[in-house]
Amino acid sequence: MIIQKPGIAGTLESSDAQVTVEPGDGKIEFELESAVINQYGLQIRKITYDTLKRLGIDNVKIKIVDKGALDCTLKARIEGAVYRSCNQYNDLPWGGAIQ
Amino acid sequence: MKNPNMKRLRRTMMFLNAQKPGLIKDPYIYKPDSIMLDLEDAVAENQKDAARFSLYHALKEIDYHGVERVIRINGLDTPYWQEDIRCAVAGGCDAIRIPKTESALDIHLVEEKVLAAEKEFGRPEGSTLLMAAIESARGVMKALDICDASERLFGIALSGGDYTKDLQTHITGTGIELMGARQNLIIAARAAGKQCFDKVYTNLNDTEGFRKDVETIHLMGFDGKSIINPRQIRIVHEIFTPSQKDIAFSEKVVKEIDSKKAQGIGVFTVDGKMIDIAFYDGAKRTIELAKASGVYKGEL
Protein backbone atom coordinates (compact mmCIF):
# COMPACT_ATOMS: atom_id res chain seq x y z
CA MET A 1 0.00 0.00 0.00
CA ILE A 2 1.10 3.57 -0.56
CA ILE A 3 0.36 6.32 1.93
CA GLN A 4 -1.38 8.91 -0.20
CA LYS A 5 -2.25 11.62 2.32
CA PRO A 6 -2.10 12.19 6.07
CA GLY A 7 -4.32 9.83 8.04
CA ILE A 8 -5.13 9.80 11.75
CA ALA A 9 -6.94 7.32 13.98
CA GLY A 10 -7.48 6.85 17.71
CA THR A 11 -7.86 9.20 20.64
CA LEU A 12 -5.90 10.47 23.61
CA GLU A 13 -8.18 8.66 26.07
CA SER A 14 -6.76 6.18 28.55
CA SER A 15 -6.07 2.71 27.04
CA ASP A 16 -6.07 4.19 23.54
CA ALA A 17 -3.41 5.52 21.16
CA GLN A 18 -3.51 8.22 18.53
CA VAL A 19 -1.70 7.27 15.35
CA THR A 20 -0.80 9.69 12.56
CA VAL A 21 0.66 8.62 9.21
CA GLU A 22 1.99 10.79 6.38
CA PRO A 23 3.76 10.06 3.10
CA GLY A 24 7.42 9.33 3.91
CA ASP A 25 10.81 10.20 2.45
CA GLY A 26 11.65 6.72 1.17
CA LYS A 27 11.75 4.95 4.54
CA ILE A 28 9.85 4.36 7.77
CA GLU A 29 10.24 7.24 10.24
CA PHE A 30 8.88 6.23 13.63
CA GLU A 31 8.09 8.63 16.47
CA LEU A 32 6.63 7.58 19.82
CA GLU A 33 5.27 9.44 22.83
CA SER A 34 4.33 7.25 25.75
CA ALA A 35 4.38 7.42 29.54
CA VAL A 36 5.61 3.83 29.50
CA ILE A 37 8.25 4.29 26.81
CA ASN A 38 11.01 2.80 28.99
CA GLN A 39 9.06 -0.41 29.66
CA TYR A 40 7.17 -0.84 26.40
CA GLY A 41 8.84 1.40 23.80
CA LEU A 42 10.60 -1.45 22.02
CA GLN A 43 7.48 -3.59 21.99
CA ILE A 44 5.38 -0.75 20.56
CA ARG A 45 8.06 -0.19 17.90
CA LYS A 46 8.01 -3.88 16.98
CA ILE A 47 4.21 -3.98 16.71
CA THR A 48 4.32 -0.87 14.53
CA TYR A 49 6.93 -2.26 12.15
CA ASP A 50 5.26 -5.69 11.99
CA THR A 51 1.88 -4.10 11.24
CA LEU A 52 3.33 -1.83 8.54
CA LYS A 53 5.13 -4.81 6.99
CA ARG A 54 1.89 -6.80 6.82
CA LEU A 55 0.25 -3.83 5.11
CA GLY A 56 3.16 -3.62 2.65
CA ILE A 57 4.24 -0.14 3.73
CA ASP A 58 7.90 0.87 3.78
CA ASN A 59 7.59 4.57 3.08
CA VAL A 60 5.82 6.46 5.86
CA LYS A 61 6.20 8.93 8.68
CA ILE A 62 4.32 7.46 11.59
CA LYS A 63 3.73 9.10 14.96
CA ILE A 64 2.14 7.29 17.90
CA VAL A 65 0.91 8.98 21.06
CA ASP A 66 0.32 6.03 23.37
CA LYS A 67 -2.01 6.26 26.36
CA GLY A 68 -1.54 2.72 27.62
CA ALA A 69 -3.00 0.89 24.61
CA LEU A 70 -3.01 -2.90 24.42
CA ASP A 71 -1.25 -4.48 21.43
CA CYS A 72 -4.60 -5.12 19.72
CA THR A 73 -5.53 -1.44 20.05
CA LEU A 74 -2.20 -0.29 18.62
CA LYS A 75 -2.65 -2.51 15.59
CA ALA A 76 -6.23 -1.27 15.13
CA ARG A 77 -5.18 2.36 15.25
CA ILE A 78 -2.24 1.92 12.88
CA GLU A 79 -4.44 0.11 10.36
CA GLY A 80 -7.17 2.69 10.84
CA ALA A 81 -4.81 5.56 10.04
CA VAL A 82 -3.28 3.74 7.06
CA TYR A 83 -6.58 2.78 5.43
CA ARG A 84 -7.89 6.32 5.94
CA SER A 85 -4.80 7.68 4.23
CA CYS A 86 -5.61 5.38 1.30
CA ASN A 87 -9.35 6.16 1.31
CA GLN A 88 -10.23 2.47 1.56
CA TYR A 89 -13.23 1.71 3.72
CA ASN A 90 -14.79 -1.42 2.19
CA ASP A 91 -13.73 -4.91 1.09
CA LEU A 92 -10.89 -4.83 3.61
CA PRO A 93 -8.57 -7.84 3.88
CA TRP A 94 -9.71 -9.08 7.31
CA GLY A 95 -7.56 -12.03 8.29
CA GLY A 96 -5.11 -11.22 5.49
CA ALA A 97 -3.07 -8.03 5.70
CA ILE A 98 -5.23 -7.17 8.70
CA GLN A 99 -4.52 -9.68 11.46
CA MET B 1 -26.61 -29.04 12.67
CA LYS B 2 -28.23 -26.80 15.22
CA ASN B 3 -25.89 -24.31 16.89
CA PRO B 4 -25.57 -25.41 20.56
CA ASN B 5 -25.65 -21.77 21.69
CA MET B 6 -29.18 -21.09 20.45
CA LYS B 7 -30.65 -21.42 23.94
CA ARG B 8 -27.75 -20.33 26.12
CA LEU B 9 -28.30 -18.24 29.22
CA ARG B 10 -28.72 -14.55 28.31
CA ARG B 11 -30.00 -12.73 31.38
CA THR B 12 -27.78 -9.71 30.78
CA MET B 13 -26.64 -8.40 27.40
CA MET B 14 -24.33 -5.44 28.00
CA PHE B 15 -23.82 -2.77 25.33
CA LEU B 16 -20.25 -1.53 24.84
CA ASN B 17 -18.98 0.97 22.29
CA ALA B 18 -16.66 -1.04 20.01
CA GLN B 19 -14.63 2.10 19.32
CA LYS B 20 -13.58 2.53 23.00
CA PRO B 21 -10.58 0.38 23.94
CA GLY B 22 -11.00 1.17 27.63
CA LEU B 23 -14.48 -0.37 27.59
CA ILE B 24 -13.91 -3.47 25.50
CA LYS B 25 -10.64 -4.71 26.95
CA ASP B 26 -12.00 -6.48 30.05
CA PRO B 27 -15.83 -6.37 30.47
CA TYR B 28 -15.83 -10.09 31.34
CA ILE B 29 -14.71 -9.21 34.88
CA TYR B 30 -18.29 -8.06 35.59
CA LYS B 31 -19.66 -11.43 34.41
CA PRO B 32 -22.50 -10.40 32.10
CA ASP B 33 -23.91 -13.34 30.12
CA SER B 34 -23.34 -11.52 26.82
CA ILE B 35 -21.67 -8.34 25.63
CA MET B 36 -22.97 -6.42 22.65
CA LEU B 37 -20.10 -4.66 20.93
CA ASP B 38 -21.74 -1.74 19.21
CA LEU B 39 -20.88 -0.45 15.76
CA GLU B 40 -24.17 1.43 15.45
CA ASP B 41 -25.55 4.27 17.56
CA ALA B 42 -22.65 4.55 20.03
CA VAL B 43 -20.14 5.10 17.21
CA ALA B 44 -19.99 8.51 15.54
CA GLU B 45 -20.53 8.59 11.78
CA ASN B 46 -16.89 9.51 11.11
CA GLN B 47 -15.55 6.70 13.33
CA LYS B 48 -17.37 3.72 11.79
CA ASP B 49 -14.21 2.55 10.03
CA ALA B 50 -11.98 2.89 13.10
CA ALA B 51 -14.50 1.01 15.24
CA ARG B 52 -14.30 -1.99 12.91
CA PHE B 53 -10.52 -2.29 13.29
CA SER B 54 -10.91 -2.03 17.04
CA LEU B 55 -13.64 -4.66 17.00
CA TYR B 56 -11.75 -7.08 14.77
CA HIS B 57 -8.62 -7.12 16.92
CA ALA B 58 -10.62 -7.31 20.15
CA LEU B 59 -12.46 -10.37 18.84
CA LYS B 60 -9.23 -12.00 17.70
CA GLU B 61 -7.01 -11.21 20.66
CA ILE B 62 -9.01 -10.60 23.84
CA ASP B 63 -10.10 -13.63 25.86
CA TYR B 64 -13.64 -12.83 27.01
CA HIS B 65 -13.72 -15.90 29.26
CA GLY B 66 -16.82 -17.47 27.73
CA VAL B 67 -18.94 -14.31 27.69
CA GLU B 68 -20.95 -14.33 24.46
CA ARG B 69 -19.81 -11.70 21.95
CA VAL B 70 -22.70 -10.20 20.00
CA ILE B 71 -22.01 -7.46 17.45
CA ARG B 72 -24.60 -4.76 16.79
CA ILE B 73 -24.14 -3.84 13.16
CA ASN B 74 -25.34 -0.66 11.49
CA GLY B 75 -28.82 -0.52 9.98
CA LEU B 76 -29.65 -1.98 6.60
CA ASP B 77 -30.45 1.54 5.41
CA THR B 78 -26.81 2.64 5.88
CA PRO B 79 -23.70 2.06 3.74
CA TYR B 80 -21.95 0.30 6.65
CA TRP B 81 -23.73 -2.94 7.47
CA GLN B 82 -22.18 -5.23 4.86
CA GLU B 83 -18.60 -4.41 5.85
CA ASP B 84 -19.68 -4.65 9.51
CA ILE B 85 -20.72 -8.24 8.84
CA ARG B 86 -17.47 -9.12 7.04
CA CYS B 87 -15.45 -7.68 9.93
CA ALA B 88 -17.52 -9.35 12.67
CA VAL B 89 -17.58 -12.78 11.03
CA ALA B 90 -13.87 -12.64 10.14
CA GLY B 91 -13.18 -11.82 13.79
CA GLY B 92 -15.17 -14.89 14.88
CA CYS B 93 -18.05 -13.20 16.71
CA ASP B 94 -20.73 -15.40 18.27
CA ALA B 95 -23.73 -13.47 17.00
CA ILE B 96 -24.93 -10.40 15.13
CA ARG B 97 -27.66 -8.08 16.33
CA ILE B 98 -29.66 -6.55 13.50
CA PRO B 99 -31.06 -3.12 14.36
CA LYS B 100 -34.42 -1.71 13.23
CA THR B 101 -35.74 -5.04 11.97
CA GLU B 102 -39.11 -4.73 10.30
CA SER B 103 -39.55 -7.87 8.23
CA ALA B 104 -38.37 -11.40 7.51
CA LEU B 105 -36.65 -9.97 4.43
CA ASP B 106 -34.28 -7.97 6.68
CA ILE B 107 -33.23 -11.23 8.34
CA HIS B 108 -32.80 -12.97 4.97
CA LEU B 109 -30.57 -10.15 3.66
CA VAL B 110 -28.30 -10.35 6.70
CA GLU B 111 -28.33 -14.14 6.70
CA GLU B 112 -27.14 -14.18 3.08
CA LYS B 113 -24.22 -11.85 3.84
CA VAL B 114 -23.30 -13.77 6.99
CA LEU B 115 -23.16 -17.04 5.07
CA ALA B 116 -21.00 -15.40 2.38
CA ALA B 117 -18.64 -14.07 5.07
CA GLU B 118 -18.44 -17.46 6.79
CA LYS B 119 -17.37 -18.97 3.47
CA GLU B 120 -14.94 -16.13 2.69
CA PHE B 121 -13.20 -16.28 6.06
CA GLY B 122 -13.30 -20.03 6.62
CA ARG B 123 -15.72 -19.93 9.55
CA PRO B 124 -17.99 -22.97 10.06
CA GLU B 125 -21.28 -22.44 8.26
CA GLY B 126 -24.02 -21.66 10.76
CA SER B 127 -21.60 -20.69 13.52
CA THR B 128 -22.74 -17.05 13.52
CA LEU B 129 -26.10 -16.60 15.22
CA LEU B 130 -28.49 -13.71 14.70
CA MET B 131 -30.79 -11.66 16.89
CA ALA B 132 -33.19 -8.97 15.75
CA ALA B 133 -33.92 -5.68 17.46
CA ILE B 134 -37.49 -4.50 17.02
CA GLU B 135 -37.68 -0.72 17.08
CA SER B 136 -40.92 0.24 15.33
CA ALA B 137 -44.65 -0.38 15.33
CA ARG B 138 -44.29 -2.28 12.04
CA GLY B 139 -41.54 -4.44 13.55
CA VAL B 140 -43.77 -5.29 16.52
CA MET B 141 -46.60 -6.28 14.17
CA LYS B 142 -44.21 -8.50 12.17
CA ALA B 143 -42.55 -10.09 15.19
CA LEU B 144 -43.66 -13.66 14.49
CA ASP B 145 -42.51 -13.51 10.84
CA ILE B 146 -39.17 -12.16 12.03
CA CYS B 147 -38.80 -14.92 14.63
CA ASP B 148 -39.57 -17.58 12.02
CA ALA B 149 -37.27 -16.10 9.38
CA SER B 150 -34.07 -17.99 10.16
CA GLU B 151 -32.69 -20.98 12.00
CA ARG B 152 -29.76 -18.79 12.99
CA LEU B 153 -32.02 -16.36 14.84
CA PHE B 154 -31.96 -17.07 18.58
CA GLY B 155 -34.16 -14.21 19.68
CA ILE B 156 -35.67 -10.77 19.38
CA ALA B 157 -35.15 -7.67 21.49
CA LEU B 158 -37.25 -4.61 22.09
CA SER B 159 -35.53 -1.28 21.58
CA GLY B 160 -37.54 1.26 23.53
CA GLY B 161 -36.32 4.67 22.39
CA ASP B 162 -37.06 4.37 18.68
CA TYR B 163 -40.18 2.30 19.29
CA THR B 164 -41.81 4.90 21.55
CA LYS B 165 -40.87 7.65 19.09
CA ASP B 166 -42.60 5.68 16.35
CA LEU B 167 -45.61 5.28 18.61
CA GLN B 168 -45.62 9.06 19.16
CA THR B 169 -45.06 8.76 22.88
CA HIS B 170 -41.98 8.55 25.10
CA ILE B 171 -40.38 6.49 27.85
CA THR B 172 -42.34 7.35 31.00
CA GLY B 173 -40.74 5.08 33.55
CA THR B 174 -44.09 3.39 34.20
CA GLY B 175 -43.86 0.90 31.34
CA ILE B 176 -47.40 1.74 30.13
CA GLU B 177 -46.13 2.87 26.72
CA LEU B 178 -44.30 -0.46 26.29
CA MET B 179 -47.07 -2.84 27.36
CA GLY B 180 -48.31 -3.76 23.90
CA ALA B 181 -44.87 -4.24 22.38
CA ARG B 182 -43.56 -6.27 25.28
CA GLN B 183 -46.59 -8.53 25.26
CA ASN B 184 -46.53 -8.96 21.50
CA LEU B 185 -42.82 -9.72 21.36
CA ILE B 186 -42.78 -12.28 24.13
CA ILE B 187 -45.80 -14.06 22.66
CA ALA B 188 -44.26 -14.10 19.17
CA ALA B 189 -40.92 -15.32 20.51
CA ARG B 190 -42.49 -18.13 22.50
CA ALA B 191 -44.71 -19.14 19.59
CA ALA B 192 -41.56 -19.51 17.47
CA GLY B 193 -39.46 -21.13 20.21
CA LYS B 194 -37.09 -18.16 20.37
CA GLN B 195 -35.74 -16.01 23.20
CA CYS B 196 -36.93 -12.50 24.00
CA PHE B 197 -35.03 -9.58 25.55
CA ASP B 198 -36.13 -6.28 26.96
CA LYS B 199 -34.85 -2.77 26.27
CA VAL B 200 -32.21 -0.86 28.22
CA TYR B 201 -33.04 1.17 31.33
CA THR B 202 -31.10 4.39 31.00
CA ASN B 203 -31.55 6.07 34.40
CA LEU B 204 -28.59 4.57 36.24
CA ASN B 205 -29.37 6.43 39.45
CA ASP B 206 -32.88 5.01 39.78
CA THR B 207 -32.05 1.57 41.19
CA GLU B 208 -35.57 0.97 42.50
CA GLY B 209 -37.12 1.86 39.15
CA PHE B 210 -34.68 -0.48 37.44
CA ARG B 211 -35.48 -3.31 39.83
CA LYS B 212 -39.24 -2.91 39.25
CA ASP B 213 -38.66 -2.84 35.49
CA VAL B 214 -36.67 -6.08 35.62
CA GLU B 215 -39.22 -7.75 37.90
CA THR B 216 -41.96 -6.83 35.44
CA ILE B 217 -40.25 -8.29 32.39
CA HIS B 218 -39.23 -11.38 34.38
CA LEU B 219 -42.85 -12.02 35.25
CA MET B 220 -43.86 -11.42 31.64
CA GLY B 221 -41.57 -14.26 30.56
CA PHE B 222 -38.60 -12.43 29.05
CA ASP B 223 -35.24 -14.21 28.98
CA GLY B 224 -33.16 -11.19 29.87
CA LYS B 225 -32.45 -7.52 29.47
CA SER B 226 -30.16 -5.26 27.48
CA ILE B 227 -28.04 -3.25 29.90
CA ILE B 228 -25.69 -0.29 29.64
CA ASN B 229 -23.66 -0.47 32.84
CA PRO B 230 -22.04 -3.21 34.94
CA ARG B 231 -23.92 -1.86 37.99
CA GLN B 232 -27.13 -3.29 36.51
CA ILE B 233 -25.84 -6.87 36.23
CA ARG B 234 -26.24 -7.98 39.83
CA ILE B 235 -29.89 -6.91 40.04
CA VAL B 236 -30.87 -8.66 36.80
CA HIS B 237 -29.08 -11.87 37.73
CA GLU B 238 -30.63 -11.84 41.18
CA ILE B 239 -34.14 -11.57 39.72
CA PHE B 240 -33.60 -14.03 36.87
CA THR B 241 -31.86 -16.72 38.91
CA PRO B 242 -34.29 -19.17 40.59
CA SER B 243 -34.32 -19.04 44.39
CA GLN B 244 -33.26 -22.13 46.37
CA LYS B 245 -36.90 -22.49 47.46
CA ASP B 246 -38.08 -22.56 43.82
CA ILE B 247 -35.34 -25.01 42.89
CA ALA B 248 -36.17 -27.37 45.76
CA PHE B 249 -39.87 -27.31 44.87
CA SER B 250 -39.19 -27.85 41.16
CA GLU B 251 -36.90 -30.75 41.97
CA LYS B 252 -39.65 -32.41 44.02
CA VAL B 253 -42.20 -31.82 41.26
CA VAL B 254 -39.98 -33.39 38.59
CA LYS B 255 -39.09 -36.38 40.75
CA GLU B 256 -42.69 -36.93 41.92
CA ILE B 257 -44.15 -36.69 38.41
CA ASP B 258 -41.53 -39.11 37.08
CA SER B 259 -42.26 -41.61 39.82
CA LYS B 260 -46.08 -41.19 39.89
CA LYS B 261 -46.27 -41.49 36.11
CA ALA B 262 -44.76 -44.97 36.37
CA GLN B 263 -47.44 -45.85 38.94
CA GLY B 264 -50.22 -44.49 36.74
CA ILE B 265 -51.11 -41.63 39.10
CA GLY B 266 -51.89 -38.33 37.33
CA VAL B 267 -52.69 -35.93 40.16
CA PHE B 268 -51.03 -35.69 43.57
CA THR B 269 -49.72 -33.11 46.06
CA VAL B 270 -46.26 -31.67 46.67
CA ASP B 271 -45.79 -29.47 49.75
CA GLY B 272 -49.58 -29.17 50.01
CA LYS B 273 -50.05 -28.02 46.39
CA MET B 274 -52.00 -29.99 43.83
CA ILE B 275 -49.68 -31.04 41.02
CA ASP B 276 -50.26 -32.66 37.65
CA ILE B 277 -48.33 -33.12 34.41
CA ALA B 278 -48.94 -29.48 33.42
CA PHE B 279 -46.34 -28.46 36.03
CA TYR B 280 -43.63 -30.65 34.56
CA ASP B 281 -42.20 -28.39 31.82
CA GLY B 282 -42.12 -25.34 34.09
CA ALA B 283 -40.31 -27.26 36.82
CA LYS B 284 -37.82 -28.65 34.30
CA ARG B 285 -37.21 -25.12 33.00
CA THR B 286 -36.49 -23.88 36.52
CA ILE B 287 -33.94 -26.67 37.00
CA GLU B 288 -32.31 -25.92 33.64
CA LEU B 289 -32.13 -22.20 34.45
CA ALA B 290 -30.64 -22.98 37.86
CA LYS B 291 -28.04 -25.20 36.20
CA ALA B 292 -27.17 -22.55 33.62
CA SER B 293 -26.93 -19.94 36.37
CA GLY B 294 -24.53 -22.16 38.31
CA VAL B 295 -26.72 -22.46 41.42
CA TYR B 296 -28.01 -26.03 41.05
CA LYS B 297 -26.40 -28.61 43.31
CA GLY B 298 -28.80 -31.52 42.77
CA GLU B 299 -28.56 -34.58 40.57
CA LEU B 300 -31.36 -34.04 38.00
Side-chain angles (χ1 to χ4, degrees):
Chain A
M1 293 177 81
I2 295 170
I3 303 294
Q4 294 168 359
K5 60 172 187 177
I8 186 165
T11 71
L12 298 176
E13 291 172 18
S14 176
S15 303
D16 205 345
Q18 190 168 68
V19 176
T20 311
V21 297
E22 291 176 43
D25 298 323
K27 59 182 185 299
I28 295 173
E29 284 179 51
F30 172 71
E31 187 185 339
L32 173 64
E33 277 179 33
S34 173
V36 290
I37 198 162
N38 290 329
Q39 297 100 310
Y40 295 108
L42 284 175
Q43 192 183 335
I44 294 172
R45 187 177 187 280
K46 182 175 184 326
I47 288 166
T48 304
Y49 275 72
D50 287 350
T51 305
L52 291 173
K53 189 177 175 188
R54 266 200 306 277
L55 297 170
I57 292 171
D58 55 9
N59 183 14
V60 62
K61 286 180 189 166
I62 182 163
K63 180 180 177 182
I64 297 179
V65 182
D66 168 53
K67 295 291 177 184
L70 295 177
D71 294 359
C72 59
T73 303
L74 280 169
K75 280 192 259 185
R77 297 318 191 196
I78 294 166
E79 289 158 356
V82 165
Y83 279 96
R84 280 180 177 175
S85 84
C86 299
N87 273 331
Q88 190 180 341
Y89 300 100
N90 289 311
D91 298 321
L92 297 180
W94 307 110
I98 300 168
Q99 60 177 277
Chain B
M1 193 186 78
K2 219 163 186 185
N3 188 311
N5 289 321
M6 283 293 282
K7 294 279 182 189
R8 66 177 279 167
L9 186 67
R10 297 182 176 99
R11 297 163 300 183
T12 42
M13 305 188 81
M14 184 163 70
F15 276 115
L16 298 165
N17 182 343
Q19 158 72 353
K20 299 270 185 193
L23 294 180
I24 65 174
K25 67 184 167 118
D26 55 6
Y28 54 85
I29 60 175
Y30 304 110
K31 300 192 170 132
D33 293 324
S34 308
I35 52 169
M36 293 194 287
L37 298 159
D38 190 14
L39 296 171
E40 197 211 12
D41 286 352
V43 179
E45 201 74 12
N46 64 358
Q47 298 299 323
K48 298 290 188 190
D49 57 331
R52 285 194 205 112
F53 290 106
S54 174
L55 171 74
Y56 177 77
H57 287 289
L59 288 173
K60 291 302 260 188
E61 294 171 45
I62 296 174
D63 177 2
Y64 285 103
H65 297 262
V67 173
E68 182 183 45
R69 302 149 315 151
V70 180
I71 314 305
R72 178 162 75 165
I73 60 170
N74 284 283
L76 275 54
D77 55 347
T78 72
Y80 308 118
W81 67 278
Q82 300 191 40
E83 192 65 18
D84 290 346
I85 288 175
R86 289 185 71 246
C87 171
V89 173
C93 73
D94 298 307
I96 284 173
R97 176 175 167 130
I98 310 164
K100 300 184 178 73
T101 314
E102 294 204 322
S103 67
L105 179 63
D106 291 344
I107 306 292
H108 295 151
L109 287 171
V110 171
E111 190 174 38
E112 188 186 317
K113 294 294 172 190
V114 166
L115 179 61
E118 284 175 345
K119 287 178 178 166
E120 180 182 0
F121 299 109
R123 303 276 312 153
E125 282 183 28
S127 60
T128 315
L129 296 177
L130 302 177
M131 68 179 290
I134 310 286
E135 311 189 27
S136 65
R138 179 169 291 276
V140 169
M141 298 309 290
K142 293 283 182 184
L144 184 56
D145 286 350
I146 291 167
C147 284
D148 281 335
S150 169
E151 283 192 7
R152 289 176 187 263
L153 190 110
F154 67 77
I156 54 174
L158 177 62
S159 183
D162 284 328
Y163 169 71
T164 48
K165 250 188 279 171
D166 197 32
L167 225 58
Q168 298 177 14
T169 178
H170 58 277
I171 299 289
T172 62
T174 63
I176 288 170
E177 69 285 1
L178 299 167
M179 282 168 59
R182 280 174 164 169
Q183 203 73 71
N184 214 57
L185 259 54
I186 186 68
I187 293 169
R190 291 295 177 251
K194 303 290 168 80
Q195 292 182 332
C196 193
F197 310 96
D198 193 45
K199 64 169 197 70
V200 297
Y201 191 88
T202 52
N203 186 350
L204 291 175
N205 295 322
D206 183 7
T207 309
E208 271 318 295
F210 179 66
R211 181 177 283 278
K212 278 187 192 151
D213 199 46
V214 179
E215 283 169 349
T216 299
I217 59 131
H218 179 238
L219 286 175
M220 290 181 82
F222 279 76
D223 293 278
K225 192 163 179 70
S226 305
I227 58 166
I228 51 167
N229 191 289
R231 279 157 56 191
Q232 298 179 319
I233 294 172
R234 185 183 55 78
I235 293 173
V236 181
H237 286 191
E238 199 182 295
I239 292 167
F240 271 85
T241 303
S243 67
Q244 286 304 320
K245 194 176 154 200
D246 289 342
I247 295 168
F249 180 73
S250 298
E251 204 170 27
K252 280 186 197 167
V253 169
V254 170
K255 284 179 177 170
E256 285 294 309
I257 290 178
D258 282 343
S259 108
K260 294 285 192 301
K261 209 162 46 180
Q263 298 166 38
I265 302 169
V267 181
F268 50 92
T269 59
V270 171
D271 293 347
K273 286 183 189 156
M274 196 184 85
I275 298 296
D276 62 18
I277 190 70
F279 285 78
Y280 194 72
D281 287 349
K284 285 283 265 188
R285 252 198 319 277
T286 300
I287 300 291
E288 289 308 315
L289 187 57
K291 279 183 192 172
S293 307
V295 295
Y296 184 65
K297 308 271 188 276
E299 72 272 5
L300 282 179

